[in-house]
Amino acid sequence: LTTANAIAEGYNISASNKVVGTLENQQAKEIASLETNIKLTSLRDDFAVKQQLLQLENLVRTEATLRYEIDNLAFSIRQAAMRYLAALTRGQRLLEERLRFRKQTAAQIVNYRYKDMTFRIFRNDALQKYMAQFDMAARYVYLAAKAYDYETALLDEDTRAGEAFLADIVRQRTIGMIQNGQPLTGTGLADPMRRMWQNFQVLKGQMGFNNPQVETNRFSLRRELFRITMDQGSNETWQRALEAHRVDDLWQVPEFRRYCRPFAPEGVPQPGIVIPFSTTVTSGLNFFRWPLGGGDSYYSATNFATKVRGVGVWFSNYDGVGLALTPRVYLVPAGQDVVRSPSYYSDEVRSWHVVDQKLPLPFPIVDAELQDNPTWIPSVDTIFDEWFQVRRHSDFRAYHDSGTLNESEMTFDSRLVGRSVWNTRWLLIIPGQNLLYDPDEGIETFIHGAPIPGSDERTGNGVTDIKLFFKTYAYSGN
């Protein structure tokens, strides 16, 4: 056992020695490796230092070139600064020149503005006067075209009709050429005026304006308008018809207020009789639009226009009722005038709402006043009342029915002359105060006759009929 232990111990010592030898070898190897690394590191550092020295040497060699480049760049900077200062100086000079230009321009503009204002003031004043005079002239020419259209009654599609002239007149902006007081064709308002005049010279012969058909007709309101017979038994029917058209105050009748000259101041009720009726010129109908019957009168439908020349009013049985010897009435055309087309191949009708208006004077002032009055305006200084004021109808005398026509009993009223007998609404107005001082008594007597003495009743023998007389002139047309 001891021997075995000694052998084992010997082996252990031998193994330990060998391990120590191996460790020494490894340590020597590591030391050699470290020494090699140290040498390599030292060599690398030496190489790096040499490289840096070489770079430094290169930089030292290029320093002169870089310094020369820097000098060039500095010189370029100084040149750029000088150019900047020159541009800045140029800009300041431009600003000063612009300011000076603005001041000079502003002064010129102010001067021109005052000149322009002065020019516009005088020009506008002249234009205002010219336009005022032109507008008035255009209005007169327009009215002439309307009168031309009314007289000729040509259809709108006809090139000779007044409608074409109306559109042309509205477009005009100048007076046109006028020679020796006569308008000439070409331009301005003178052109349509001349063309209308020349057309009318031809149409006068074609339409018969220079050769009218003149006739006188009598119409009974009782028989032909109200269709009441003339026998004694129909008197009450006639009286009821008149009572139905009796009004307590004529001032409440719009047509009387608009178209009639008053016979008494407004404020006091004025009773009267107002008989509205319409007329026609149609084949197969009487004057009052009823089917044509025995004893009726009518106008020829072959004439395109039948115009009023004179008018008369007769009262049947008037002289026996005890009223004023000279009664006066109004006859007012308050509707539309109707005429036919003058062309034989057309049966169309045309209608106009005709209003008789007052026109301003053509020469209200003389040239000297016009020159001395710089503020003269035509619409202000030539019209001294309502613009185109309606010319109202005066009353005219009615006569007793003598049975025969007397020319002296006809009234040739300028308000009625030229109006068409074919009208959509006529008004026959009989004021009570034109019959007696007491207007109500006058109306009662006119309708029912004089009062019976000592009684509240009346004779019943009032006016038995009202007759209209028209003296007319008619044109046959083309």
Side-chain angles (χ1 to χ4, degrees):
L1 180 62
T2 305
T3 303
N5 289 333
I7 293 170
E9 182 69 24
Y11 282 121
N12 287 334
I13 293 171
S14 177
S16 297
N17 291 330
K18 289 182 179 180
V19 169
V20 170
T22 302
L23 291 174
E24 288 177 352
N25 290 333
Q26 290 178 350
Q27 184 177 11
K29 181 180 179 181
E30 289 178 359
I31 290 171
S33 176
L34 290 174
E35 288 177 354
T36 302
N37 289 335
I38 290 171
K39 288 180 180 181
L40 289 174
T41 301
S42 176
L43 291 174
R44 289 192 188 97
D45 291 339
D46 291 341
F47 179 78
V49 170
K50 290 178 180 179
Q51 290 294 328
Q52 290 178 353
L53 288 174
L54 290 175
Q55 290 179 358
L56 181 60
E57 290 176 356
N58 289 332
L59 289 175
V60 170
R61 293 189 189 99
T62 59
E63 182 271 336
T65 303
L66 293 176
R67 186 173 65 249
Y68 177 75
E69 292 179 356
I70 291 173
D71 291 339
N72 288 337
L73 292 174
F75 181 73
S76 298
I77 291 174
R78 287 194 295 271
Q79 287 184 333
M82 294 300 294
R83 287 195 297 271
Y84 167 75
L85 293 176
L88 185 61
T89 304
R90 217 169 28 249
Q92 290 177 347
R93 186 170 62 252
L94 289 176
L95 290 176
E96 292 175 356
E97 291 179 356
R98 186 184 67 173
L99 180 61
R100 177 176 54 79
F101 174 77
R102 285 181 173 179
K103 291 180 178 179
Q104 292 176 350
T105 305
Q108 293 176 355
I109 290 175
V110 171
N111 187 26
Y112 291 149
R113 185 173 295 170
Y114 280 109
K115 290 182 179 179
D116 180 71
M117 181 181 65
T118 304
F119 168 75
R120 287 177 181 273
I121 289 174
F122 289 105
R123 184 195 65 177
N124 291 343
D125 182 65
L127 286 177
Q128 182 182 16
K129 291 181 179 180
Y130 171 79
M131 290 305 300
Q133 298 176 63
F134 176 81
D135 289 343
M136 181 172 286
R139 183 166 294 187
Y140 276 109
V141 176
Y142 190 88
L143 291 176
K146 294 293 288 186
Y148 170 89
D149 193 32
Y150 174 75
E151 291 295 333
T152 59
L154 294 167
L155 299 178
D156 292 344
E157 57 267 18
D158 195 321
T159 57
R160 302 168 300 171
E163 184 69 22
F165 292 107
L166 294 175
D168 190 20
I169 291 169
V170 173
R171 289 195 296 264
Q172 298 300 330
R173 289 297 178 267
T174 59
I175 297 295
M177 297 295 295
I178 298 178
Q179 185 177 18
N180 298 326
Q182 296 296 324
L184 302 178
T185 57
T187 59
L189 295 174
D191 178 69
M193 282 290 291
R194 184 67 177 183
R195 288 189 287 118
M196 281 191 294
W197 181 83
Q198 292 175 336
N199 285 356
F200 196 76
Q201 301 309 305
V202 178
L203 293 175
K204 282 197 301 185
Q206 292 182 357
M207 295 186 177
F209 292 154
N210 54 359
N211 187 26
Q213 298 180 13
V214 180
E215 64 175 297
T216 302
N217 278 340
R218 177 178 63 181
F219 306 95
S220 168
L221 297 188
R222 176 168 175 167
R223 289 187 302 101
E224 299 181 59
L225 175 62
F226 294 108
R227 289 309 200 195
I228 302 173
T229 60
M230 295 301 297
D231 58 273
Q232 189 69 26
S234 301
N235 285 343
E236 292 186 4
T237 305
W238 165 248
Q239 292 171 2
R240 287 195 299 270
L242 293 179
E243 282 287 353
H245 293 91
R246 185 172 178 174
V247 296
D248 296 330
D249 188 6
L250 293 176
W251 290 108
Q252 303 303 317
V253 180
E255 292 85 355
F256 176 80
R257 181 180 292 274
R258 176 172 173 79
Y259 296 113
C260 299
R261 291 176 62 90
F263 56 87
E266 186 177 0
V268 178
Q270 296 293 339
I273 297 175
V274 179
I275 303 177
F277 59 92
S278 59
T279 57
T280 187
V281 181
T282 304
S283 177
L285 302 179
N286 75 349
F287 188 54
F288 300 105
R289 296 178 177 270
W290 289 103
L292 189 65
D296 288 347
S297 298
Y298 66 94
Y299 286 105
S300 173
T302 62
N303 296 317
F304 86 91
T306 302
K307 305 292 184 69
V308 177
R309 179 66 183 89
V311 65
V313 176
W314 285 3
F315 295 147
S316 299
N317 196 43
Y318 181 83
D319 56 349
V321 296
L323 295 174
L325 183 62
T326 57
R328 298 185 181 276
V329 300
Y330 298 91
L331 183 62
V332 180
Q336 293 184 340
D337 282 24
V338 184
V339 299
R340 284 187 169 80
S341 168
S343 301
Y344 72 91
Y345 53 82
S346 175
D347 58 354
E348 294 188 41
V349 297
R350 296 193 63 186
S351 59
W352 286 267
H353 184 70
V354 180
V355 179
D356 192 0
Q357 294 174 307
K358 181 168 61 176
L359 298 180
L361 296 175
F363 300 103
I365 62 175
V366 297
D367 292 341
E369 293 176 342
L370 179 60
Q371 295 173 359
D372 297 337
N373 184 9
T375 62
W376 181 79
I377 297 297
S379 60
V380 176
D381 298 308
T382 63
I383 302 173
F384 304 102
D385 49 19
E386 181 183 347
W387 180 260
F388 291 121
Q389 184 180 12
V390 175
R391 300 172 69 227
R392 301 186 178 188
H393 294 260
S394 298
D395 56 10
F396 59 90
R397 183 178 174 182
Y399 292 87
H400 167 64
D401 182 10
S402 60
T404 59
L405 176 64
N406 187 346
E407 285 284 345
S408 64
E409 297 177 354
M410 299 291 293
T411 299
F412 299 91
D413 190 351
S414 63
R415 309 297 193 270
L416 293 174
V417 172
R419 299 296 297 270
S420 175
V421 295
W422 186 353
N423 196 288
T424 58
R425 180 175 174 82
W426 291 86
L427 286 178
L428 177 64
I429 302 175
I430 307 173
Q433 200 163 57
N434 289 356
L435 304 175
L436 283 178
Y437 177 78
D438 185 348
D440 290 307
E441 178 62 25
I443 297 297
E444 285 289 334
T445 304
F446 185 88
I447 298 175
H448 301 287
I452 300 175
S455 173
D456 294 336
E457 298 182 357
R458 294 183 177 271
T459 62
N461 188 27
V463 171
T464 58
D465 195 4
I466 300 174
K467 295 179 180 179
L468 299 180
F469 286 82
F470 283 103
K471 186 173 183 178
T472 60
Y473 58 97
Y475 303 132
S476 59
N478 292 327

